[in-house]
Amino acid sequence: MPAVTVEDTTALPRVPLPAPRTVRRRTRTVTTAPSGFEGEGFPVRRAFAGVDLRALDPFIHMDQMGEVEYAPGEPKGTSWHPHRGFETVTYIIDGTFEHADSHGGGGTISNGDTQWMTAGGGVLHIERPPEQLVASGGLFHGLQLWVNLPRAQKWVEPRYQDLRAESSVLLASPDAGAFLRVIAGDVAGQRGPGSTYTPMAMVHATVSPGATLDLPWRPDFNALVYVLSGAGSVGIDGAPVRTGQLAVLGPGDTVTVRGALHQESRTPALDVVILGGRPIREPIAMYGPFVMNSRQEVMDAFTDHQAGRLGSIPAQYGRRESVPHGDLRGETGQTTDADA
Ligand code: MN
């Protein structure tokens, strides 16, 4: 797992020790992500499946893409597809992914880079491995997170942020047993590079076997811990977690993550993504690639897309058929439309 790694974690700034009387969050639920396929057929784990949207708020959806070792010719992406009403955050741990969108955003991201696309009022984009990686095959591992936008910001102009791995803020726990990459938000007094509409934080932490991370976490944020690989426990109650599991934590000031003493040899440490944000607490109507407040707004998004009002495919990419992504997700698409 390259992402960003450092030779000597003891040289990094340290997360402060928890304040006296800090409230360490307890685990509410642990769920196991089912496996599926996205786009033209790349394997994913649906990290949030089976979790109430109110516990996830302001997050909506997350796929762990891979980890997969592709044979030559095998790597898959998506075709051109639309989004409206939220932000997509793609974090590549191993391998390379290319993006292009109808608003002029795009680029190539690899090993620890993040691209942050605000779909806002509407955008078309494509996400795929570059041609040389399709030809060669190879290791691919990443995440795609969907962050909701509040009603007042669903119609903002699309935006693209290219966050290079080097811009992640790197920290260590007090005994340097855990290594943190802050991708967005304020964590332990340090600010990650991602600029977000909805206040939130995203951290990729590597916790050594036997080490404990007590991470100060804003009490007004929710707290989710997703296990990319390895084994350990989460929360003051020490709920066991392993690869592909999501822990939702209750209220408090601190997120606790422990690395199990014994890890499988292929995953020498516990790797987790820690997410939190200020809940938006609005009705959510989501279907396929659109996340709105009401069913009517989702129907309008489909109509607008068919009429070409979400953008057009840039000329240099030619005119390829646009297939909505979420073909699979549509089968399990959640609609919690309180005001319909
Ligand atoms: Mn997409």
Side-chain angles (χ1 to χ4, degrees):
M1 179 169 299
V4 178
T5 51
V6 295
E7 297 258 310
D8 179 12
T9 54
T10 64
L12 296 172
R14 306 295 171 92
V15 170
L17 286 163
R21 294 189 298 281
T22 190
V23 178
R24 290 177 173 81
R25 292 173 184 246
R26 298 185 68 84
T27 312
R28 273 189 177 154
T29 58
V30 174
T31 47
T32 302
S35 296
F37 292 93
E38 185 55 86
E40 292 175 346
F42 59 88
V44 296
R45 284 194 171 102
R46 309 283 188 199
F48 294 169
V51 182
D52 193 305
L53 282 170
R54 281 166 297 190
L56 300 173
D57 190 7
F59 308 107
I60 302 162
H61 179 84
M62 189 165 75
D63 280 342
Q64 181 181 10
M65 307 183 290
E67 161 176 44
V68 57
E69 182 80 36
Y70 282 123
E74 204 182 26
K76 306 271 197 319
T78 70
S79 45
W80 284 90
H81 59 273
H83 290 298
R84 174 182 279 175
F86 64 103
E87 304 186 88
T88 65
V89 180
T90 309
Y91 175 54
I92 298 299
I93 297 163
D94 282 292
T96 304
F97 223 35
E98 277 181 353
H99 285 252
D101 70 51
S102 57
H103 195 254
T108 301
I109 54 171
S110 63
N111 309 338
D113 297 333
T114 300
Q115 76 108 28
W116 201 292
M117 187 189 75
T118 307
V123 74
L124 304 184
H125 79 159
I126 187 168
E127 320 161 78
R128 61 185 176 187
E131 287 187 12
Q132 69 270 22
L133 185 65
V134 175
S136 65
L139 187 60
F140 181 77
H141 188 197
L143 274 185
Q144 187 170 96
L145 171 70
W146 290 14
V147 186
N148 203 1
L149 288 168
R151 190 190 304 272
Q153 287 165 333
K154 286 203 182 289
W155 298 93
V156 294
E157 194 176 338
R159 181 173 72 171
Y160 185 91
Q161 297 174 70
D162 186 14
L163 310 176
R164 294 288 121 185
E166 311 82 75
S167 68
S168 298
V169 169
L170 307 182
L171 302 172
S173 57
D175 65 0
F179 167 50
L180 285 75
R181 309 149 187 92
V182 181
I183 296 162
D186 289 322
V187 174
Q190 306 275 343
R191 168 162 290 195
S195 169
T196 73
Y197 280 98
T198 301
M200 58 160 283
M202 175 176 178
V203 175
H204 172 190
T206 301
V207 185
S208 303
T212 298
L213 169 65
D214 273 318
L215 186 62
W217 205 247
R218 276 175 54 164
D220 59 331
F221 280 11
N222 65 345
L224 310 172
V225 179
Y226 178 73
V227 183
L228 293 166
S229 62
S233 62
V234 174
I236 188 61
D237 48 318
V241 289
R242 57 177 163 76
T243 306
Q245 290 191 316
L246 177 81
V248 176
L249 304 186
D253 313 308
T254 302
V255 169
T256 306
V257 182
R258 283 193 189 83
L261 266 177
H262 299 286
Q263 303 283 341
E264 291 183 21
S265 56
R266 60 184 172 159
T267 55
L270 171 67
D271 268 87
V272 297
V273 172
I274 306 172
L275 294 167
R278 196 167 68 205
I280 294 171
R281 295 196 180 95
E282 289 178 3
I284 296 171
M286 59 188 287
Y287 197 82
F290 305 124
V291 183
M292 305 303 292
N293 293 116
S294 73
R295 197 162 302 177
Q296 183 60 48
E297 289 172 339
V298 171
M299 282 160 34
D300 292 347
F302 278 104
T303 306
D304 287 350
H305 173 50
Q306 273 152 20
R309 288 191 285 265
L310 271 66
S312 50
I313 299 169
Q316 78 252 39
Y317 295 96
R319 190 74 207 171
R320 282 181 56 176
E321 186 68 13
S322 172
V323 178
H325 101 135
D327 298 351
L328 292 159
R329 188 167 317 131
E331 295 163 18
T332 53
Q334 296 184 57
T335 303
T336 54
D337 183 2
D339 66 1

